[in-house]
Amino acid sequence: MTLTGNNTDTVPVVQTSYGPVRGTIDGPVAVWKGIRFAAAPTGGRRFQAPVAPEPWTDIFEANRFGPVCPQSPMPGMPLGVDIQKHEDCLSLNVWSPGSLDKPKPVMVWIHGGAYFRGASSQPLYDGRSLAENGDVVVVTMNYRLGVLGFVDFSSLNTEEHRFDPNVALQDMIAALRWVRDNITAFGGDPDSVTLFGESAGGGAVTTLMTMPSARGLFHRAIAESSPATSVYNSERAAHVANTFLEILGGADDPVERLLTATSDELLTASDALFARIPSETPGTLAFGPIVDGELVPDYPVNAFWNGTAMRIPLLIGTNKDESSLFQIMKSPLMPVDPAVIRAMFDEIAAEHPDLELPDQARIESAYSGLATKSDAMGLTRDFGFRLPTLWIVEAHSQYAPTWLYRFDYATPMLKALKIGATHATELPYVFGNIAHGPKEITYKLGGLSTGRKVSARMQQRWLAFAKYAVPVGLDGEPQWDAYNRENRATLVIDKHDTVVRDLDGPLREAWGEQVIAFT
């Protein structure tokens, strides 16, 4: 039996390539949760590329989210109700509206969380609103996080055991292959897939666009707040792996230790590594994609400039006040202390002696000499998010249609808290889940009506892009032209949307016209 559309008397059962799955009905949308797309990456498969799951014959009741990758809790980031944590976490979820008479565009979401936290089960990522409002099929996925997904232990390979690089990226590719092979049965069009993600998920999107093994698996891409330059070489990967083993301790045989350590032991050491790496090398992440020469052939920014990235339509942007969240959380990921910021530049210069960095005094003067934390947050915001995004649009717009945005909208409460349009605040508007919990404080000082209008406009743009590869707006909204070096058009999303030419002119002037590619 296949999807039966809006008949709420029939629970939809779909035959996938591995076995039948039965979903549930949520209003006009059918939902399947926790569908396995790969075998459990446990035991001898820990730190290895995903493999196909064992087929099943009994109907799988796809009525609850699958386990999420082990992770420490994070205030303000609920993973969902009754969510289990387990290394056997490779599952995905599907929201599908309507009938099967015409295949619908597909939107595949990759969640963020510094490559360390997060899950597809987070209430924020419920796909019903997008599926219902846009008549699209929405897919969200889990992938391996932290040490289980983003530390490369391939330097420890032996004849007895293999450690694969970039296993989390390979998880994402396995999920995309599942979509290619199965989404037709859920009402989706496998030839019209938009991959979208935010933060680490946005970084995954821009990285996957440069990976040969991902070609043909998606046809449009949306990258929100992508840390596109947080991709590292194999030498640094080996250093991170050795540092992790030092923290983990407990055995003379590192291979045996990695394979037999409990999830809790790995998680404890991961937490320590997460804090240690950015303290030793400011501005870098403990976890992230690795340029391994095969799966990830080159630094993504280089690939975009060389024209070797997928030449597909791209919608990309950042938020106006990205760094304020990290400051409030006292996160080590984005330094705000002037001495640490200067150390970050020194570290980059030492690691990349052939790199021509802009004059540091000139840059600091553009941020008032880093006299206040606000100035420092502006510099780290631009260095970590806005500049990599600009480098990509300057490059990719030469090869494929590219649209640039900046999200500026902040509710009165977020302004009062001096948070503004910080990192991830666009997500409720994209998913249409702008009041998703009883303890939600975002609208305590008003702004819900405006927020709903912002959400409607953003959803219209994102959904139009997924359907037609052009982010057309609602009637009466400004025309958002594709980016080129003549117009440098940027959509500024606020109470009212505007299109600004060369919004980032002062930023380019401060940092110089030369594009910095991390090679």
Side-chain angles (χ1 to χ4, degrees), residues 37 91-95 104-112 120 125 127 130-131 136-143 168-169 171-184 186 188-198 200-202 204-206 208-209 214 216-224 312 315 427 430-431 462-463 465-467:
F37 66 83
S91 66
L92 52 75
N93 321 291
V94 181
W95 286 260
K104 305 175 189 305
V106 181
M107 299 183 73
V108 179
W109 173 252
I110 303 178
H111 70 77
S120 64
Y125 306 139
L130 270 179
V136 297
V137 176
V138 177
V139 179
T140 64
M141 70 175 79
N142 286 343
Y143 55 92
L169 294 176
D171 293 343
M172 299 171 194
I173 289 174
L176 286 166
R177 287 174 177 158
W178 184 97
V179 169
R180 177 195 63 193
D181 297 340
N182 292 279
I183 207 63
T184 299
F186 295 83
D189 182 355
D191 295 320
S192 181
V193 175
T194 297
L195 186 65
F196 69 132
E198 183 268 345
V205 169
T206 50
L208 285 162
M209 287 181 68
L217 296 177
F218 57 99
H219 315 92
R220 289 170 287 282
I222 301 174
E224 303 170 25
I312 60 175
L315 190 160
L427 290 176
V430 170
F431 278 89
W462 267 232
L463 288 164
F465 181 78
K467 290 180 175 182

Side-chain angles (χ1 to χ4, degrees), residues 104-273:
K104 305 175 189 305
V106 181
M107 299 183 73
V108 179
W109 173 252
I110 303 178
H111 70 77
Y115 301 110
F116 181 59
R117 291 189 174 102
S120 64
S121 57
Q122 291 174 244
L124 184 59
Y125 306 139
D126 186 288
R128 173 179 167 172
S129 175
L130 270 179
E132 180 180 357
N133 293 340
D135 198 32
V136 297
V137 176
V138 177
V139 179
T140 64
M141 70 175 79
N142 286 343
Y143 55 92
R144 280 174 279 182
L145 301 169
V147 68
L148 293 167
F150 288 102
V151 174
D152 181 2
F153 294 107
S154 60
S155 58
L156 300 176
N157 281 349
T158 66
E159 292 183 1
E160 291 75 26
H161 192 83
R162 183 185 78 254
F163 294 89
D164 292 323
N166 289 309
V167 294
L169 294 176
Q170 297 192 65
D171 293 343
M172 299 171 194
I173 289 174
L176 286 166
R177 287 174 177 158
W178 184 97
V179 169
R180 177 195 63 193
D181 297 340
N182 292 279
I183 207 63
T184 299
F186 295 83
D189 182 355
D191 295 320
S192 181
V193 175
T194 297
L195 186 65
F196 69 132
E198 183 268 345
S199 193
V205 169
T206 50
T207 302
L208 285 162
M209 287 181 68
T210 71
M211 295 174 61
S213 56
R215 290 188 179 274
L217 296 177
F218 57 99
H219 315 92
R220 289 170 287 282
I222 301 174
E224 303 170 25
S225 301
S226 167
T229 51
S230 295
V231 181
Y232 308 107
N233 61 32
S234 56
E235 290 77 16
R236 184 182 180 279
H239 167 71
V240 171
N242 289 331
T243 302
F244 179 82
L245 290 168
E246 173 192 324
I247 295 170
L248 181 64
D252 295 329
D253 184 347
V255 172
E256 179 70 15
R257 179 64 172 139
L258 285 171
L259 296 179
T260 59
T262 67
S263 296
D264 286 344
E265 288 176 321
L266 294 178
L267 182 57
T268 298
S270 292
D271 287 346
L273 185 74

Side-chain angles (χ1 to χ4, degrees), residues 340-413:
V340 177
I341 291 174
R342 293 178 185 119
M344 176 180 72
F345 278 93
D346 292 341
E347 184 72 30
I348 292 169
E351 288 187 2
H352 305 278
D354 297 328
L355 184 65
E356 293 185 23
L357 283 169
D359 180 75
Q360 190 168 336
R362 171 184 168 185
I363 294 173
E364 288 189 21
S365 67
Y367 297 90
S368 302
L370 306 182
T372 68
K373 284 186 177 180
S374 177
D375 301 323
M377 284 193 295
L379 190 152
T380 56
R381 170 203 64 206
D382 293 340
F383 188 74
F385 292 104
R386 192 63 181 180
L387 281 167
T389 290
L390 294 179
W391 299 334
I392 286 177
V393 297
E394 289 278 334
H396 195 62
S397 60
Q398 299 179 65
Y399 304 104
T402 307
W403 286 266
L404 174 66
Y405 75 87
R406 194 180 74 187
F407 183 80
D408 285 22
Y409 179 67
T411 65
M413 175 61 84

